[in-house]
Amino acid sequence: MKFLSGIQPSGDMHLGNYFGMMQQMVNLQAEGELFAFIANYHALTSVSDGKFLKKSTLEASINFLSLGLDPKKSTFWVQSDVKEVLELYWILSNFTPMGLLERAHSYKDKTAKGVSANHGLFSYPVLMASDILIFDSNIVPVGKDQIQHVEMTRDIAIKFNNAYGEVFTIPEFRVDDNVATVPGVDGAKMSKSYKNTIEIFSSEKQLKKAVGKIITDSTPLEEPKEWQDCNIFKISKLFLNEDEQENLKDRYGSGKEGYGHFKMYLKDVIWKHFEPYREKREYYLNNIDIVKDILSDGAKKASAIAQVKIEKVREVVGIDY
Ligand code: ADP
Ligand code: TRP
């Protein structure tokens, strides 16, 4: 079973990225062959500062490695090191109906929020399809917002296979139902673009500040509180086992503590959870050459697979002569 997913290096990683995708990927290393990459071409749709993109690409790689991605078990690379995806992207564009792209929620949401539409943003799902199909991925672990992109990939692959035979494996998405969508401090989906994130690797002071911004109702300290719709609870839950969740529910009902206490508790839980990963991150930050070697080995492994597939595609579409 081949699992594949990518993450854009477009800013600091947050709890949504961690629970929605990275943790799933790290756990999947025990179940099958894992392919993970840093989607820097995709990031160009939202980043227009070259220095920032360079820095973020290395940082994202370091973060993923720190969170448990094991380069001995998995193939880990930077998207732009395997240029075959760009050739496939063009070929697949010819199997992508305009209507399919026009229906993309992610594109529609972004343009509705005032992001100016360009061709990169519009055709983004075709590049994503290329990422997935070039490696014959079976399963694509993603957060809920990316499901439609995987469905589009299936449509494109089926159309291509109908024309040229069984060239591509038809992939499936996988979403962790316990997570689905991690809420941000304002209760909306946690996202870099909404500026409502809690970052994974900030300082303790910054973490306290981010958690402090979580919006709650105004039930006074001495009254019992509802945990069901509370954003502090929803985020805390992601880190807690059943007993710990029950315990927190009791504290909500007791009327002895205020939201400030629950925020402090959440901050401590988050800080403790990422402690071992912070140590690993320090190591990689101090050994950038090791990180670059890992990425270069990963790119070689990924390229070898991509080259075989693109040869096959060229042959069937008649680009080779
Ligand atoms: P952002 O919305 O901050 O730009 P990305 O689009 O780069 O995040 O998402 C990277 C990965 O993390 C994707 O698989 C996405 O589905 C997942 N993800 C991002 N935010 C969340 C969230 N709030 N809840 C669950 N998964 C998320
Ligand atoms: N679009 C994904 C995101 O923003 C990143 C991505 C690019 C990806 N190519 C992919 C995810 C292929 C899964 C498979 O999160």
Side-chain angles (χ1 to χ4, degrees):
M1 195 56 85
K2 249 189 201 180
F3 301 102
L4 174 138
S5 197
I7 187 157
Q8 292 189 54
S10 43
D12 291 317
M13 282 179 188
H14 54 74
L15 295 181
N17 302 141
Y18 177 66
F19 286 107
M21 195 274 240
M22 301 171 95
Q23 193 190 42
Q24 256 203 94
M25 290 289 275
V26 168
N27 292 341
L28 284 171
Q29 293 182 118
E31 272 185 51
E33 211 184 339
L34 187 78
F35 287 75
F37 64 96
I38 305 299
N40 58 343
Y41 282 140
H42 276 109
L44 287 175
T45 59
S46 63
V47 180
S48 53
D49 174 343
K51 282 201 188 107
F52 175 82
L53 184 58
K54 257 187 173 181
K55 186 168 153 273
S56 301
T57 300
L58 261 185
E59 271 176 14
S61 309
I62 289 174
N63 289 348
F64 224 145
L65 290 167
S66 310
L67 291 168
L69 193 108
D70 181 349
K72 289 198 200 79
K73 287 191 199 145
S74 307
T75 306
F76 182 48
W77 74 100
V78 175
Q79 188 182 31
S80 60
D81 283 337
V82 181
K83 304 248 182 310
E84 286 77 6
V85 290
L86 290 183
E87 186 175 348
L88 183 58
Y89 159 71
W90 175 250
I91 294 172
L92 294 179
S93 291
N94 300 289
F95 292 84
T96 311
M98 288 294 281
L100 188 73
L101 295 177
E102 276 160 359
R103 285 192 295 276
H105 304 307
S106 157
Y107 172 76
K108 286 198 290 191
D109 290 351
K110 282 185 181 145
T111 48
K113 283 198 189 80
V115 175
S116 70
N118 62 34
H119 180 254
L121 192 65
F122 185 63
S123 66
Y124 176 117
V126 190
L127 181 56
M128 187 157 158
S130 170
D131 291 327
I132 296 170
L133 298 176
I134 207 162
F135 297 106
D136 277 325
S137 318
N138 303 106
I139 294 188
V140 184
V142 281
K144 211 171 155 190
D145 59 317
Q146 296 292 324
I147 293 177
Q148 195 193 22
H149 290 154
V150 183
E151 285 170 341
M152 293 164 91
T153 300
R154 290 170 60 91
D155 289 348
I156 296 170
I158 290 169
K159 232 170 172 312
F160 187 98
N161 284 356
N162 281 341
Y164 293 114
E166 297 303 300
V167 175
F168 294 121
T169 301
I170 310 299
E172 280 170 30
F173 64 83
R174 187 186 286 185
V175 172
D176 183 344
D177 286 332
N178 296 320
V179 178
T181 304
V182 177
V185 296
D186 56 357
K189 177 201 168 221
M190 187 177 286
S191 171
K192 289 178 277 256
S193 33
Y194 305 156
K195 301 202 169 21
N196 62 357
T197 59
I198 299 176
E199 285 163 19
I200 302 175
F201 291 120
S202 57
S203 69
E204 194 167 7
K205 201 168 153 202
Q206 285 167 320
L207 177 63
K208 191 171 167 203
K209 203 168 150 205
V211 172
K213 283 192 197 148
I214 298 177
I215 294 171
T216 61
D217 61 30
S218 49
T219 314
L221 191 148
E222 57 285 357
E223 272 178 38
K225 290 160 197 69
E226 301 274 353
W227 52 267
Q228 286 85 343
D229 285 322
C230 177
N231 290 322
I232 310 173
F233 187 87
K234 284 187 197 161
I235 300 173
S236 303
K237 190 174 164 228
L238 299 164
F239 293 90
L240 304 179
N241 64 30
E242 297 266 317
D243 285 350
E244 289 164 335
Q245 286 181 33
E246 287 309 313
N247 186 273
L248 186 58
K249 285 180 194 168
D250 291 345
R251 285 173 62 184
Y252 266 74
S254 75
K256 289 187 191 138
E257 291 179 277
Y259 289 120
H261 295 103
F262 301 135
K263 284 183 178 176
M264 194 59 88
Y265 169 72
L266 174 59
K267 188 273 286 170
D268 288 340
V269 166
I270 300 175
W271 186 250
K272 200 156 157 251
H273 181 87
F274 289 107
E275 174 119 58
Y277 307 124
R278 273 196 300 278
E279 283 169 17
K280 246 174 132 182
R281 186 163 173 268
E282 270 312 298
Y283 166 79
Y284 284 121
L285 283 171
N286 292 321
N287 291 280
I288 297 287
D289 287 350
I290 294 182
V291 177
K292 289 191 174 170
D293 284 348
I294 291 173
L295 293 172
S296 148
D297 285 352
K300 278 186 207 132
K301 279 203 270 172
S303 292
I305 301 169
Q307 275 161 17
V308 173
K309 186 56 99 185
I310 202 74
E311 280 300 327
K312 171 82 187 163
V313 171
R314 282 182 195 143
E315 186 197 312
V316 298
V317 301
I319 283 293
D320 257 350
Y321 59 92

